[in-house]
Each structure stands twice: as C-alpha cells, then as structure tokens.
Amino acid sequence: MKKVFITGGAGFIGSRVAKTFLDKGYKVYVYDTFKQYLIPDPSENQPNLLIRLADIFEKIELVQGDTLNKDFLRRKLMIIKPDVIVHMAALPLAVVAIEQTEEAFNSILDSTINLLEIIRDFDHDCRMVYTSSSMVYGDFSSDLVSEDSLTKPKDIYGSFKLCGEIIVEGYNKRYGIDTAIIRPSAVYGPNDGNQRVLYKFITSAIKNEPITLDGDGSMKLDFTFVDDTALGFYLVSTHKNATGEVFNITRGKAEKLIDVIDILKNHFPNLQIINRDVPGYMPSRGTLDISKAKKLLKN
C-alpha cells in the first residue's frame, strides 16, 4: 500500500485531500499542529478542527506536530517513508500574513526548507507537492493567466509563496528531488474555518447581518469547490507528468462578487450590502488557465 504524508492535513483543504487519497487506496498520515490563525469569538461555538476528519478518523494515522520542529518531523518521516508528501501546513490567509509576517515567513518558507532537507536524505523515491497560491500573480496581467504568466505579487502572503516556489524548484534542479507545485484559488466548501469570502457572505446572510462588499462587486475570483481542488492535488501528487511542473488547480472560470450577492438575494431577499474600498493588498484577479493541468494530468 502506498503512503501519503499530508502536512496541514486537518485543515480545510488538507482534510479533503486526505479523504481523496484514502478513497484511492493510500495509507494516509495526517501531520498537523491544530493551530488556529483567527481569534476565536467567545460568543460563538468554537469549531472542533477534527470534525473535518470525523468520517475517516479511524482509517488514518494522525500525528500532532509542527513542520518547524525539524528533528521530530525527520524521525516521523524516516519511519513512515512516504511515497508522497503533500505540503499544506502554513499560515493560510493573506490578511493575517500582513500583520504576522514572521509567522508567515516561518510557516511558509522555513517549513518548506525543513521538508526538502529531510527528503534529501531519503533512500527511497518520494514526490513533494508544494502548495502555493494564485496570489503569486499579483494583479492579473490579462483576463486569463497561465502558469507562464508574470508573477508579481503585491502582498506579503503572495511574495512568500512565490519564494517557496523558487526554493522548491531549486531543490528539484540541484538535488533531483521529485517536486510539483500547485496554485489554487478562492477555495470554498463546508468546514472552512478561516472565514474566506463565500463563508463570510453566507454566514452574514444566515444571521441577517449586512454583507461587506469590497468595491462595487466587479472584482472576480476563480471560485473552486474544495473537493475539486482535492482531486487536483491527488492528480498532481501521483501523475508521472507532474514532476517538476507548476499547475493552476482551479475551476477555470472566474465569477464577479456581485453575481454571488445576486444568488444570495434569491434566498435572502432582504439582504443588506455595505460597500467599502478594496483593500490595498488585494490584487485584481480573474480566471486561471487550467489547460496545462487538463493536458498533462489526463488518465
């Protein structure tokens, strides 16, 4: 039985990646700190992060650990000897990275280097998949951006993610480590605990609270359902054509925020909207070209 080691595997996307690998017959190891990056609201029921793994909890191996603790991480990996490492453990939000730059640097870059250095000492084949972000593009240079489009991030999060890509590619070229890179975008779905935009919109609507909308609603995002994203991670992790490549893993069709609002108004006709200026760190975005993934990752 092949083995996959998922850092951040109890997270919103990571938990779905774990389930996908399990469904494909892999032995799944989830490595996570169970850390929250948002301040808990004392008036709300606090989320149990393990609820994301509730339906597969007894079928996987769960390891509580930090990718910054290199010795502990090394010992676990040397015992497990995974065929695939999916590296998802990192500060997950651009807005938090602006304030917690040291946390962002450590969790995104130091953790990645730790893994790569450990993999250098493996005596078996192992692919490492690095989770980047569509934020590396900054303001989209065209309505449709491919993996070869200009990368010019305008925020801390995107900048660190792009640095991580460069490091991963350097280890691939210099040491021959089997690596691949994924750029997801605007992932949504159940059990999102980090208050991404759709979560905030829907939660406000259910609570009969006003929705705060950036700008006039013309901003576009390539919204991608979390299970589709997870399948993309599986394909990049296991397909022979993915070695050394970078992939946009998204739906491949951007939607305006105002269109999301209109859908919600069909269910919540009294929905109130509060407009605000678009945050300076937020790039102008659109559709990510997924033709490369469609071409190279075919069964």
Side-chain angles (χ1 to χ4, degrees):
M1 180 180 291
K2 289 189 175 182
K3 294 172 283 188
V4 60
F5 186 90
I6 307 171
T7 71
F12 169 49
I13 303 174
S15 58
R16 307 311 294 177
V17 173
K19 185 177 188 306
T20 301
F21 269 94
L22 188 66
D23 290 343
K24 299 294 184 178
Y26 274 69
K27 175 67 175 178
V28 176
Y29 296 84
V30 165
Y31 188 90
D32 206 292
T33 62
F34 301 99
K35 182 175 183 178
Q36 288 183 267
Y37 285 96
L38 295 178
I39 297 174
D41 184 345
S43 66
E44 299 285 348
N45 291 326
Q46 298 309 305
N48 179 353
L49 300 184
L50 275 177
I51 197 170
R52 296 169 175 153
L53 299 170
D55 57 340
I56 62 172
F57 181 77
E58 296 182 354
K59 301 176 183 178
I60 64 174
E61 294 290 334
L62 192 62
V63 181
Q64 185 173 17
D66 195 320
T67 48
L68 297 178
N69 296 334
K70 189 175 180 180
D71 287 339
F72 178 75
L73 178 63
R74 180 187 295 276
R75 286 193 292 271
K76 289 298 179 183
L77 286 172
M78 289 301 184
I79 292 171
I80 294 169
K81 296 185 180 298
D83 300 280
V84 179
I85 296 174
V86 181
H87 181 33
M88 311 188 75
L91 186 152
L93 298 171
V95 66
V96 177
I98 292 171
E99 297 295 331
Q100 299 187 33
T101 52
E102 186 175 18
E103 173 72 29
F105 183 94
N106 292 338
S107 68
I108 294 172
L109 297 178
D110 283 344
S111 67
T112 300
I113 293 173
N114 283 349
L115 279 168
L116 290 166
E117 282 293 314
I118 293 169
I119 294 171
R120 281 182 63 189
D121 295 333
F122 278 4
D123 58 4
H124 70 283
D125 293 333
C126 176
R127 175 174 295 172
M128 177 180 143
V129 177
Y130 171 73
T131 307
S132 185
S133 168
S134 61
M135 295 290 278
V136 301
Y137 294 112
D139 291 324
F140 280 21
S141 56
S142 61
D143 290 337
L144 183 70
V145 298
S146 73
E147 293 85 353
D148 295 324
S149 296
L150 180 68
T151 51
K152 195 174 181 180
K154 60 188 294 186
D155 73 304
I156 295 299
Y157 182 76
S159 298
F160 287 169
K161 284 292 189 180
L162 183 58
C163 289
E165 290 191 16
I166 294 169
I167 291 167
V168 168
E169 290 176 340
Y171 274 75
N172 169 266
K173 293 173 182 176
R174 177 61 183 86
Y175 302 113
I177 296 175
D178 185 353
T179 62
I181 296 168
I182 289 177
R183 295 171 180 165
S185 175
V187 183
Y188 71 94
N191 295 320
D192 174 9
N194 287 313
Q195 299 183 16
R196 292 171 176 84
V197 60
L198 288 188
Y199 172 92
K200 290 193 290 187
F201 282 7
I202 294 171
T203 300
S204 295
I206 291 173
K207 291 182 175 181
N208 197 30
E209 297 175 350
I211 286 178
T212 300
L213 179 63
D214 292 337
D216 61 2
S218 60
M219 181 189 297
K220 289 183 176 181
L221 290 174
D222 197 341
F223 292 109
T224 312
F225 187 60
V226 64
D227 286 349
D228 296 329
T229 303
L231 178 58
F233 268 87
Y234 171 78
L235 292 173
V236 173
S237 299
T238 58
H239 203 291
K240 59 180 174 48
N241 291 339
T243 296
E245 299 289 348
V246 181
F247 293 96
N248 292 331
I249 296 296
T250 72
R251 181 189 178 204
K253 181 183 179 183
E255 304 287 351
K256 295 179 180 179
L257 291 182
I258 195 64
D259 293 335
V260 177
I261 298 294
D262 289 340
I263 293 172
L264 286 173
K265 283 183 176 179
N266 290 331
H267 301 277
F268 305 93
N270 297 321
L271 193 62
Q272 298 296 310
I273 307 299
I274 298 176
N275 296 87
R276 69 172 184 181
D277 293 338
V278 177
Y281 67 86
M282 184 59 65
S284 174
R285 304 164 78 185
T287 298
L288 279 73
D289 185 355
I290 57 173
S291 58
K292 178 180 178 180
K294 287 183 175 180
K295 178 181 178 181
L296 294 185
L297 303 179
K298 292 188 298 184
N299 293 329

